[in-house]
Amino acid sequence: MNLRFLSLFVNNLNDKSPKAKQSAGKAAGIIGILSNVILFIIKLIVGIACSSIAITADAINNISDAGSAVISLIGFKLSEKPADDEHPYGHARIEYLAGFIVSLIITVLGVQFFKDSIIAITDKARSAYSLAAIIILVISIIIKLWQASFYKAVGKHIGSSSLIATSADSRNDVISTSAVLVGAIISKFFDISLDGYLGVIIAVFIVYSGIRLIIETADPILGSAPDDELVCEISEKILSYEGILGIHDLIIHNYGEGRRFASVHCEVDANEDILKSHDIIDNIEFDFLRNKGIQLVIHMDPVVTDDERVNSLKKAVSEIIANLSCEIHEPISMHDFRVVFGQTHSNLLFDILINASCKADCKTICEKIEAEIKKLSSDYNAVINVDRNYTTVNAK
């Protein structure tokens, strides 16, 4: 229903291109501005007429919502700017900044609402609510419920963090306006003023929600881990190409809608023609750019597959690492295994992959692996490189 309403202002909602999503976001922002301005005017008139600090504060909250929608609208507009020398990855992350600003506004309004409520309690202010005022509050709640649902539906449809944050703001407005409505009904029919007390409770909730949203909207700016679904999708797609034996060191950077960059190491048979392997890599990179809009850079790792001595040692070292992983309760995997055999000693060279959140000391992990390898033969030297896993799903 919400998306059908949005389709009155946007030509093709099924278009998943960044430009189409930005158009939908801008349309949602304009609708939000108009509806919040209308609510502000009506509530301000009613609040002044009834001498109600709660309704007046709720009106100010609505005009702030309109301001938040303007910020979101500006964010969508600025994110359309093409890449330049100073910002070669584009400006799409401005949309994340807009969501962060909306979250800050929610928090500030919650603090202000708390102050106003305390003042109302200490001054023992009483309001004269009319039946018209109560009806206006009910209509306001209905409109805000629709806004919250509308923003959330559009935000999920186009993947907009700022619209989802604005949806949460509208939801908070429903709670705060409902509290005002309860206070208005009790004040009118029981001659008891609860505005200030209800305001304090709602203000605490709004501040909590605002802080939580600040954390959520700051995550993509700081560089949050990519979705497990996306990681699995990329991994499975690459491994589906003939000639790719395994992948590791997958890193994904998100610079906003339509601005994803990734790099990965792909293992290929060392005995295969280098030109054939390189052609496979080129095809994968091109397919990802054309079909998924991801600019993928692949590092090719040749691996030996037909040497029994190397395969036997690789299996033994894999078991050592698997046992250590269970012992320290941290996922560890191995890749790029190779052996340089010599007359007096042999070097076993490989990389281990550990999670970025791993609490265990890397030096201690390597020492334990080296000690176990020495048990296989005192002639074996382990040369270990430690990689950090930048996704929450281990590559195969």
Side-chain angles (χ1 to χ4, degrees):
M1 181 65 71
N2 289 312
L3 295 180
R4 187 177 301 172
F5 175 73
L6 183 64
S7 66
L8 298 175
F9 306 91
V10 180
N11 292 330
N12 185 9
L13 281 179
N14 294 323
D15 187 351
K16 298 297 184 179
S17 67
K19 185 176 181 180
K21 291 183 178 181
Q22 287 165 351
S23 296
K26 287 189 288 186
I30 293 173
I31 293 170
I33 292 170
L34 294 175
S35 57
N36 279 310
V37 168
I38 292 172
L39 284 174
F40 163 72
I41 294 173
I42 295 174
K43 285 184 182 179
L44 184 63
I45 294 173
V46 173
I48 294 174
C50 298
S51 300
S52 170
I53 186 173
I55 294 181
T56 303
D58 209 27
I60 300 300
N61 189 22
N62 287 143
I63 198 61
S64 298
D65 291 342
S68 299
V70 170
I71 293 172
S72 295
L73 193 60
I74 293 172
F76 280 114
K77 186 64 179 177
L78 292 177
S79 67
E80 291 178 344
K81 290 179 61 180
D84 52 36
D85 291 340
E86 289 77 22
H87 305 92
Y89 299 104
H91 298 78
R93 276 188 175 178
I94 290 178
E95 201 268 332
Y96 297 149
L97 290 174
F100 183 73
I101 293 172
V102 170
S103 303
L104 286 175
I105 291 173
I106 295 173
T107 305
V108 171
L109 287 174
V111 173
Q112 186 59 49
F113 194 19
F114 182 86
K115 292 180 180 178
D116 292 341
S117 300
I118 294 297
I119 292 173
I121 293 173
T122 55
D123 290 349
K124 298 181 180 180
R126 303 186 70 84
S127 304
Y129 293 102
S130 64
L131 182 60
I134 293 175
I135 294 174
I136 291 297
L137 289 173
V138 172
I139 294 174
S140 174
I141 290 171
I142 294 172
I143 293 175
K144 278 296 178 180
L145 281 170
W146 171 80
Q147 276 188 356
S149 174
F150 175 73
Y151 282 135
K152 186 175 182 180
V154 179
K156 285 187 174 181
H157 181 71
I158 66 175
S160 168
S161 59
S162 66
L163 281 181
I164 293 175
T166 305
S167 170
D169 190 18
S170 296
R171 182 197 62 208
N172 290 340
D173 289 344
V174 170
I175 298 173
S176 60
T177 304
S178 297
V180 175
L181 176 62
V182 171
I185 293 174
I186 293 175
S187 297
K188 181 172 178 59
F189 296 102
F190 298 97
D191 195 29
I192 301 174
S193 180
L194 297 177
D195 283 355
Y197 297 101
L198 289 171
V200 168
I201 296 173
I202 301 305
V204 171
F205 175 77
I206 292 175
V207 171
Y208 167 78
S209 298
I211 293 174
R212 179 175 54 81
L213 286 170
I214 287 173
I215 296 172
E216 290 178 359
T217 52
D219 275 350
I221 299 174
L222 294 174
S224 56
D227 293 336
D228 291 350
E229 183 179 350
L230 176 63
V231 174
C232 290
E233 181 183 351
I234 292 176
S235 301
E236 291 172 1
K237 178 64 177 176
I238 296 175
L239 290 169
S240 69
Y241 287 82
E242 185 178 356
I244 301 299
L245 304 179
I247 67 170
H248 54 86
D249 290 348
L250 174 61
I251 300 175
I252 304 171
H253 299 283
N254 187 358
Y255 287 90
E257 185 62 38
R259 295 284 182 177
R260 284 199 180 101
F261 298 80
S263 62
V264 67
H265 289 217
C266 290
E267 297 176 352
V268 297
D269 191 340
N271 296 322
E272 187 59 80
D273 182 1
I274 187 66
L275 293 179
K276 181 179 178 181
S277 296
H278 190 270
D279 185 60
I280 295 172
I281 297 301
D282 282 346
N283 289 335
I284 297 173
E285 292 175 339
F286 179 76
D287 288 347
F288 267 85
L289 182 60
R290 180 183 58 186
N291 300 325
K292 298 184 179 299
I294 298 175
Q295 298 195 42
L296 180 64
V297 177
I298 299 177
H299 174 80
M300 186 169 61
D301 283 333
V303 294
V304 176
T305 60
D306 57 355
D307 189 314
E308 289 301 324
R309 288 194 303 170
V310 173
N311 290 339
S312 177
L313 284 172
K314 182 178 181 180
K315 181 179 179 181
V317 174
S318 295
E319 292 176 355
I320 290 172
I321 292 174
N323 292 334
L324 178 60
S325 179
C326 293
E327 179 185 329
I328 65 175
H329 305 291
E330 291 283 357
I332 307 174
S333 60
M334 179 184 70
H335 58 83
D336 282 355
F337 184 88
R338 56 200 185 279
V339 182
V340 178
F341 293 101
Q343 292 184 349
T344 59
H345 67 278
S346 296
N347 290 334
L348 281 60
L349 304 93
F350 55 91
D351 295 357
I352 59 172
L353 185 67
I354 61 177
N355 284 342
S357 59
C358 179
K359 303 299 182 183
D361 180 62
C362 294
K363 183 179 179 181
T364 302
I365 291 175
C366 291
E367 289 175 348
K368 288 185 176 182
I369 295 174
E370 291 170 5
E372 291 300 316
I373 288 176
K374 281 293 184 183
K375 292 180 181 179
L376 299 176
S377 172
S378 59
D379 294 337
Y380 291 154
N381 293 331
V383 181
I384 306 172
N385 179 57
V386 179
D387 286 338
R388 289 288 181 174
N389 187 16
Y390 292 101
T391 67
T392 54
V393 178
N394 287 323
K396 295 179 181 179

